[in-house]
Amino acid sequence: MKRHPDALAALTRDDTPAPVPHMLAYLTDHPGASSRMRRNVETALAKLAAELGR
């Protein structure tokens, strides 16, 4: 998985992670992932970013 290093780098940053394609793919593209998982992750990150004023 070529996306893993990029996704892990995005997740380890001190700022709030943005829902960038490689991170979303890393979190949601696996066997057994819910068809709604990607939307749920995007929604949660957007809510967090709004709460932090970003």
Side-chain angles (χ1 to χ4, degrees):
M1 290 272 171
K2 185 178 179 187
R3 292 184 291 238
H4 288 204
D6 291 338
L8 293 175
L11 290 170
T12 59
R13 294 175 47 152
D14 288 336
D15 59 340
T16 304
V20 292
H22 58 267
M23 188 180 76
L24 289 171
Y26 174 74
L27 294 171
T28 62
D29 290 349
H30 59 83
S34 165
S35 60
R36 293 177 287 176
M37 185 178 288
R38 184 179 185 101
R39 186 178 71 231
N40 292 344
V41 170
E42 289 173 327
T43 301
L45 289 172
K47 181 179 177 183
L48 178 60
E51 290 172 357
L52 296 173
R54 295 183 180 171

